[in-house]
Amino acid sequence: MILMRHIIREGHPSLTKVSEPIQFPMTKAEINLAHDLMEYVKNSQDEAMVRKYKLRPSVGLAAVQVNVLKRMFAIHVHDFDDKLYSYVFINPVIVKHSAETTYLPGGEGCLSVDRETNGLTPRYFQIEVKGFILNLETDQVEPIHTTLKGYPAIVFQHEYDHLDGIMFTTKLYPTLPKAFPLFELEEE
């Protein structure tokens, strides 16, 4: 089971390296890692598990964040219509993106970043992706070609950047005049 102590932090050299494509068939270790990545993300969204294991909440986790330089990440996120996007992506590629850019008004977070950050990270509002997913019930690799938009697209792009050794902290801007906020923050 992945715990916070297994997640490498900002400054670790692996976080700035490009991850290697996974060869098929996947090894047992790679399949186990896929399960572990998804398990962490799901556990981190369960309040009891968060308290018990002192997990930081997340919606995605890349293999490189546990110091495995493989092109794989898990996302488990709902869009604003409550549709669930729960995948372990393997060797994903963004094949097309919208001209529109967006951002999370409160900024992004990352399990590998312990400090407060200021600024906004531009992301494409909609992306078309291809690659593979691991069916976690059968452990079979399946091709995927799908379109993501809004919050799931932002989460995908954050994790995808990890595969290329890019941290969101290198993409922070004080304002993004050509982008629109994904949602408006409510004033308190």
Side-chain angles (χ1 to χ4, degrees):
M1 180 173 162
I2 295 172
L3 300 172
M4 284 304 299
R5 72 173 182 265
H6 301 118
I7 296 172
I8 60 176
R9 302 307 207 283
E10 188 176 26
H12 192 288
S14 290
L15 290 171
T16 58
K17 293 182 178 168
V18 175
S19 293
E20 296 291 324
I22 291 177
Q23 304 300 314
F24 299 122
M26 290 176 68
T27 66
K28 185 66 177 158
E30 290 166 340
I31 292 169
N32 289 341
L33 176 61
H35 282 273
D36 291 345
L37 294 172
M38 183 60 79
E39 179 186 47
Y40 178 91
V41 177
K42 286 182 175 180
N43 286 346
S44 79
Q45 296 177 25
D46 178 311
E47 289 182 32
M49 296 297 281
V50 166
R51 280 193 304 276
K52 182 176 181 178
Y53 294 107
K54 297 180 175 61
L55 306 177
R56 280 179 42 199
S58 72
V59 289
L61 182 62
V64 65
Q65 291 180 273
V66 292
N67 205 21
V68 178
L69 289 164
K70 299 282 186 168
R71 296 189 77 80
M72 177 193 320
F73 62 79
I75 68 169
H76 186 79
V77 59
H78 289 86
D79 67 13
F80 295 131
D81 293 324
D82 207 33
K83 180 179 176 186
L84 176 63
Y85 296 81
S86 186
Y87 300 107
V88 175
F89 284 98
I90 301 158
N91 300 339
V93 178
I94 297 174
V95 294
K96 203 185 295 185
H97 61 77
S98 63
E100 295 174 298
T101 55
T102 189
Y103 59 88
L104 293 178
E108 294 183 14
C110 182
L111 294 173
S112 294
V113 177
D114 292 329
R115 64 185 171 93
E116 290 289 321
T117 60
N118 292 308
L120 305 171
T121 306
R123 301 290 183 190
Y124 298 114
F125 177 72
Q126 183 170 302
I127 55 174
E128 181 181 334
V129 302
K130 286 176 69 172
F132 300 90
I133 56 171
L134 182 68
N135 181 321
L136 297 175
E137 292 180 15
T138 64
D139 288 343
Q140 296 300 305
V141 174
E142 301 170 359
I144 188 167
H145 187 169
T146 191
T147 299
L148 302 171
K149 65 181 181 178
Y151 191 47
I154 289 173
V155 173
F156 182 99
Q157 290 169 85
H158 178 106
E159 300 306 329
Y160 185 80
D161 276 353
H162 276 302
L163 304 184
D164 290 328
I166 300 168
M167 299 283 290
F168 85 99
T169 52
T170 65
K171 297 173 124 178
L172 292 173
Y173 297 88
T175 61
L176 294 170
K178 293 184 180 179
F180 65 91
L182 188 59
F183 57 88
E184 298 293 331
L185 287 177
E186 292 181 18
E187 297 293 325
E188 291 187 24

